[in-house]
Amino acid sequence: MLVKWIRCTVVDRRGFERGQRKWAGLPGEPGFRGQGGGWSRGRPNVAHVFAFWESRAFYDSFMARSHDRLAAAQSGTYRDMQVRLFEHRFDVKVGFQPRFTDADVVRVAHCRVHAERVEHFTLMQEKVWNPAMAGSPGMLRGVFGEAPGNEFLVLSLWDSAAEHGKYRAERVERLALRAQTEADVAAIAGDVVGVEPSWTV
């Protein structure tokens, strides 16, 4: 599965939201699995969208055919768009489904990992972080993806911002020490995204 992460700064909120609804045409596309997103909880006017495709081939075919027609509706409503593609490595919790209807927030973590630490980082994600997240009340499901250049994406869906906040306050520091995250990671950026139901496709 291919995970696409889009982040941008919105300059015309109403126009952007109107355009976002045009993506409702996606389910007819071969290989499309789901899409959702919303507004950053910490950065005003920053929008995040997450799209899931069965494979890179299906995604490339969509980009060549239908993408520009659907995207035209949002032209001029945003700036500083960043798009990143990640290959699904494994689920966080089990049986990941690209559904957003039951989620209140999405936590996105983007890590650049030292080349010689990639194996360790991946192992710690599997052995330390995943079980801790999977066992946290309110954590619904998630996905761990990898991109060329030792880049990784950890995406987790939560049923409430309060539950995610509790997990962050009570567990993250301790887990980071156990997983030796500081030694693995060259840079980390992240955000908490409030899910907008009307953006879910």
Side-chain angles (χ1 to χ4, degrees):
M1 186 170 67
L2 188 74
V3 184
K4 181 180 188 176
W5 171 34
I6 305 156
R7 184 179 61 201
C8 61
T9 303
V10 174
V11 291
D12 168 7
R13 210 166 160 125
R14 278 182 61 190
F16 183 85
E17 295 224 286
R18 238 190 345 265
Q20 198 56 39
R21 288 195 271 279
K22 299 278 189 219
W23 296 98
L26 277 171
E29 293 292 333
F32 173 73
R33 297 279 308 276
Q35 181 168 292
W39 299 103
S40 164
R41 287 275 170 104
R43 300 182 182 112
N45 298 320
V46 170
H48 295 265
V49 178
F50 308 98
F52 300 84
W53 293 83
E54 252 166 63
S55 69
R56 181 68 194 246
F58 278 123
Y59 170 74
D60 286 344
S61 163
F62 161 71
M63 289 302 288
R65 286 178 303 99
S66 316
H67 174 269
D68 292 359
R69 179 174 46 80
L70 291 168
Q74 280 174 308
S75 177
T77 64
Y78 60 83
R79 58 182 171 79
D80 306 334
M81 179 175 274
Q82 292 173 24
V83 178
R84 286 198 160 83
L85 300 172
F86 296 85
E87 283 292 343
H88 171 272
R89 284 283 306 272
F90 46 77
D91 295 348
V92 179
K93 222 166 175 170
V94 290
F96 179 79
Q97 292 290 323
R99 286 188 296 112
F100 291 83
T101 44
D102 53 352
D104 178 42
V105 295
V106 177
R107 163 70 180 156
V108 55
H110 177 225
C111 307
R112 270 199 184 80
V113 176
H114 298 295
E116 71 282 4
R117 302 285 297 187
V118 163
E119 211 172 301
H120 181 264
F121 175 78
T122 307
L123 185 71
M124 290 300 102
Q125 185 62 43
E126 230 170 334
K127 299 275 184 272
V128 176
W129 291 103
N130 279 12
M133 264 197 272
S136 295
M139 193 278 184
L140 301 169
R141 58 192 159 276
V143 68
F144 178 77
E146 182 175 7
N150 309 321
E151 278 189 52
F152 295 87
L153 180 76
V154 185
L155 206 59
S156 54
L157 282 71
W158 298 75
D159 69 7
S160 78
E163 287 297 350
H164 175 258
K166 245 186 277 179
Y167 163 76
R168 210 155 69 177
E170 293 165 10
R171 317 279 302 274
V172 167
E173 210 172 303
R174 207 169 65 240
L175 291 166
L177 282 172
R178 211 172 111 203
Q180 301 172 345
T181 304
E182 220 168 271
D184 291 348
V185 172
I188 185 164
D191 212 345
V192 176
V193 183
V195 173
E196 284 290 332
S198 65
W199 297 14
T200 298
V201 182

